């Protein structure tokens, strides 16, 4: 019996620290992917997908949404960007991360703006403005973009 208790005591800290290490791993992958996205979007997407799978496995919600958003940003087709944005925004858990929600709305609106799909751009940018109360610093940039339209 003492051996069993000792074994559980030895294993339990590893279980506790395992998720912390996994979230750190996801964070590191996301940061590397962000840098990589500047030069090689296809490789960045693969890294983001890796972070997404780990996030799902350990139920790391912030990592899940950041991974999806990274994939969305690196994706070339606006229809795919729109689908990923809707997947993120239709998940109620995103409301726990207002800055990330704002970022999804803003970057998606900006993507549509850059490809002159103004109706879609306005839809996303207006939603970002509605959520601006959470992110006051980014509002000046958003208003500048809206004014340019």
């Amino acid at each position: 019996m003492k051996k069993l208790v000792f074994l559980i005591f030895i294993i339990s800290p590893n279980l506790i620290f395992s998720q912390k290490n996994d979230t750190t791993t996801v964070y590191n992958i996301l940061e590397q992917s962000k840098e990589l996205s500047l030069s090689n979007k296809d490789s960045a997407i693969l890294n983001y997908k890796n972070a997404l799978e780990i996030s799902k496995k350990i139920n790391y919600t912030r990592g899940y949404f950041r991974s999806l958003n990274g994939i969305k940003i690196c994706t070339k087709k606006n229809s795919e960007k729109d689908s990923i944005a809707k997947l993120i925004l239709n998940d109620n858990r995103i409301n726990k991360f207002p800055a990330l929600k704002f970022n999804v709305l803003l970057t998606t609106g900006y993507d549509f703006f850059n490809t002159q799909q103004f109706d879609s751009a306005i839809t996303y940018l207006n939603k970002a403005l509605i959520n601006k109360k959470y992110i006051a610093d980014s509002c000046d940039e958003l208003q500048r973009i809206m004014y340019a339209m």
Side-chain angles (χ1 to χ4, degrees):
M1 183 66 174
K2 287 182 182 181
K3 289 181 183 179
L4 179 62
V5 170
F6 181 73
L7 183 62
I8 291 173
F9 180 74
I10 296 288
I11 294 173
S12 293
N14 292 336
L15 293 175
I16 292 168
F17 294 116
S18 175
Q19 185 167 1
K20 177 67 175 163
N21 290 337
D22 288 343
T23 58
T24 301
T25 299
V26 169
Y27 176 83
N28 290 335
I29 293 170
L30 290 170
E31 290 302 308
Q32 291 169 357
S33 301
K34 188 176 177 181
E35 288 296 316
L36 189 57
S37 71
L38 300 173
S39 60
N40 189 337
K41 293 196 183 294
D42 292 334
S43 294
I45 288 172
L46 292 175
N47 279 0
Y48 280 125
K49 287 181 178 179
N50 183 28
L52 180 65
E53 289 307 312
I54 296 169
S55 296
K56 285 180 185 177
K57 178 181 161 191
I58 63 171
N59 201 25
Y60 180 37
T61 308
R62 181 183 299 273
Y64 170 79
F65 287 127
R66 284 193 62 206
S67 300
L68 281 175
N69 194 42
I71 293 167
K72 177 190 72 68
I73 290 170
C74 291
T75 298
K76 294 177 178 113
K77 295 181 181 178
N78 274 349
S79 61
E80 292 176 18
K81 290 176 183 277
D82 190 41
S83 295
I84 295 170
K86 287 178 180 174
L87 176 67
I88 295 169
L89 296 169
N90 288 332
D91 189 326
N92 288 330
R93 297 177 299 168
I94 192 65
N95 294 322
K96 293 179 182 176
F97 308 101
L100 185 52
K101 181 177 181 179
F102 180 83
N103 186 273
V104 170
L105 291 165
L106 183 63
T107 56
T108 306
Y110 198 65
D111 288 334
F112 281 113
F113 177 77
N114 284 335
T115 57
Q116 299 183 356
Q117 296 179 20
F118 297 120
D119 288 343
S120 295
I122 288 171
T123 299
Y124 280 103
L125 293 172
N126 277 334
K127 288 179 182 178
L129 278 172
I130 291 168
N131 286 288
K132 76 177 185 176
K133 63 182 175 181
Y134 299 109
I135 315 296
D137 294 340
S138 298
C139 289
D140 290 337
E141 174 68 9
L142 179 57
Q143 288 173 344
R144 185 189 64 73
I145 293 168
M146 293 293 287
Y147 181 74
M149 295 172 88

